[in-house]
């Protein structure tokens, strides 16, 4: 099978189910941003970090493929004539969301309490986490817009929201472990 199909040469692409839409469609923007996020998470996973984080990130990457598939499915063609769901894979579950929450709780137990916003940076690995977090927030905004237009499984949107929180806590935890300075944002006062 060749990678290039030439079917998108006129600026359209197919959703799961065959419906063709413009490549700038909100559904394409949504799952395309999830794909971008997945690549940034791969970059974090490629850093010299604890294997526990790598395993969690690999699980997240797997779940993001599921999120992408959910977002790429045309709701009008989500159910086959037989009554079965077209997308025959496990959906995002409450357990997936709870796993992120549990991981955050474990990391936060060993961190000093946050008293201020922190400036992104301090170490390249930490910066990769912050970039992934902001891409995740963009993905959430796009998916939220899509959900307003064509609702999808609620746990999917919840997972994206929780993932951005996880990436922020991971950035703080890695700052701590890498002994990187966490610079607080303290607004300047007007003169």
């Amino acid at each position: 099978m060749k990678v290039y199909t030439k079917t998108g040469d006129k600026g359209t692409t197919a959703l799961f189910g065959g419906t063709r839409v413009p490549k700038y469609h909100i559904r394409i923007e949504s799952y395309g941003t999830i794909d971008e996020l997945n690549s940034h998470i791969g970059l974090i996973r490629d850093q010299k970090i604890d294997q526990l984080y790598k395993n969690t990130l690999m699980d997240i990457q797997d779940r993001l493929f599921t999120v992408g598939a959910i977002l790429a499915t045309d709701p009008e063609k989500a159910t086959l004539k037989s009554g079965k769901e077209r997308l025959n894979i496990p959906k995002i579950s409450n357990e997936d969301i709870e796993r992120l929450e549990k991981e955050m709780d474990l990391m936060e137990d060993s961190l000093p309490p946050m008293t201020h916003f922190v400036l992104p940076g301090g170490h390249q690995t930490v910066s990769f986490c912050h970039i992934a977090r902001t891409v995740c927030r963009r993905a959430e905004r796009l998916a939220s817009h899509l959900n307003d237009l064509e609702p999808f499984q609620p746990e999917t949107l919840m997972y994206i929201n929780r993932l951005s929180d996880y990436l922020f806590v991971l950035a703080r935890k890695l700052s701590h472990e890498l002994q990187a300075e966490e610079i607080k944002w303290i607004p300047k006062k007007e003169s």
Side-chain angles (χ1 to χ4, degrees):
M1 182 171 123
K2 293 186 179 189
V3 171
Y4 59 91
T5 61
K6 301 182 183 180
T7 57
D9 289 352
K10 293 184 180 172
T12 65
T13 193
L15 299 175
F16 194 46
T19 306
R20 293 204 69 81
V21 296
K23 289 188 177 187
Y24 57 80
H25 191 280
I26 185 66
R27 189 169 290 283
I28 308 306
E29 286 288 342
S30 295
Y31 75 73
T33 306
I34 292 294
D35 186 36
E36 180 184 350
L37 171 61
N38 207 334
S39 296
H40 283 291
I41 289 174
L43 186 59
I44 300 167
R45 194 170 49 83
D46 288 342
Q47 303 306 300
K48 290 181 182 178
I49 58 175
D50 189 280
Q51 190 62 44
L52 170 71
Y53 305 137
K54 289 181 183 236
N55 294 344
T56 300
L57 291 170
M58 196 171 308
D59 181 63
I60 289 168
Q61 288 185 291
D62 173 81
R63 301 287 58 218
L64 286 177
F65 265 94
T66 298
V67 169
I70 290 166
L71 298 177
T73 301
D74 180 351
E76 293 182 14
K77 296 188 178 180
T79 306
L80 300 170
K81 289 178 184 176
S82 65
K84 288 187 174 184
E85 288 187 37
R86 179 177 298 280
L87 192 58
N88 189 23
I89 58 173
K91 307 297 185 294
I92 299 300
S93 67
N94 284 321
E95 289 78 24
D96 294 321
I97 297 163
E98 289 166 7
R99 178 170 185 205
L100 291 177
E101 291 171 346
K102 211 177 294 182
E103 293 294 329
M104 283 187 278
D105 291 344
L106 285 171
M107 289 188 287
E108 284 186 317
D109 283 346
S110 64
L111 294 174
M114 265 194 63
T115 57
H116 294 78
F117 287 110
V118 295
L119 299 180
H123 188 282
Q124 186 174 13
T125 302
V126 173
S127 294
F128 290 152
C129 289
H130 283 293
I131 291 168
R133 172 186 58 80
T134 60
V135 172
C136 189
R137 286 286 189 211
R138 178 164 32 98
E140 181 183 15
R141 291 189 301 271
L142 290 165
S144 180
H145 181 193
L146 174 61
N147 189 59
D148 282 351
L149 300 171
E150 299 176 339
F152 52 85
Q153 183 207 24
E155 291 83 2
T156 301
L157 199 52
M158 291 167 61
Y159 185 81
I160 299 168
N161 177 268
R162 214 64 88 251
L163 179 55
S164 62
D165 296 335
Y166 169 84
L167 291 165
F168 177 75
V169 176
L170 180 62
R172 289 200 70 221
K173 180 68 172 167
L174 291 174
S175 283
H176 183 72
E177 289 182 2
L178 296 165
Q179 298 178 340
E181 184 180 6
E182 196 172 68
I183 301 172
K184 295 175 184 173
W185 178 65
I186 301 170
K188 295 179 180 169
K189 301 196 187 247
E190 282 195 58
S191 322

